[in-house]
Amino acid sequence: MSKINFQKEIWEGWTIEDFIRELEPQLSAIQSGRSWHPPIATKKELKEWCKQNQPYYKKTIPEVVQYFSQKYNLK
């Protein structure tokens, strides 16, 4: 796996790290069963969820998907 450049700017000053920080609490609640949303089971589901829930930028950010798929061991 390639190393993630967390400082890479994606949109108007927002970096990969910013998007991860923004999504992390919500995704953590989902994955631990503390949300109305069922836990995400696949990388494809994760990709869609990230795209829909990240602020401002509604395109897939591969590094964000990679980070969370590694963290939650999604294939």
Side-chain angles (χ1 to χ4, degrees):
M1 275 284 159
S2 57
K3 186 163 170 21
I4 298 171
N5 175 5
F6 291 98
Q7 301 312 310
K8 178 179 166 188
E9 186 176 322
I10 299 297
W11 184 83
E12 294 191 8
W14 277 70
T15 63
I16 289 168
E17 184 177 21
D18 294 326
F19 283 103
I20 288 171
R21 196 176 306 124
E22 195 69 26
L23 294 172
E24 188 109 50
Q26 203 178 345
L27 190 56
S28 176
I30 289 170
Q31 294 304 87
S32 65
R34 295 177 287 124
S35 169
W36 62 268
H37 193 292
I40 293 169
T42 68
K43 199 170 180 176
K44 186 175 187 250
E45 283 178 48
L46 175 68
K47 186 176 172 180
E48 283 307 307
W49 184 88
C50 287
K51 197 162 53 170
Q52 291 169 6
N53 289 279
Q54 61 203 19
Y56 312 114
Y57 190 81
K58 299 303 179 187
K59 296 179 190 158
T60 300
I61 304 171
E63 295 90 344
V64 172
V65 175
Q66 178 187 340
Y67 172 83
F68 286 123
S69 64
Q70 286 173 348
K71 179 173 181 170
Y72 294 108
N73 199 23
L74 301 174
K75 305 281 180 237

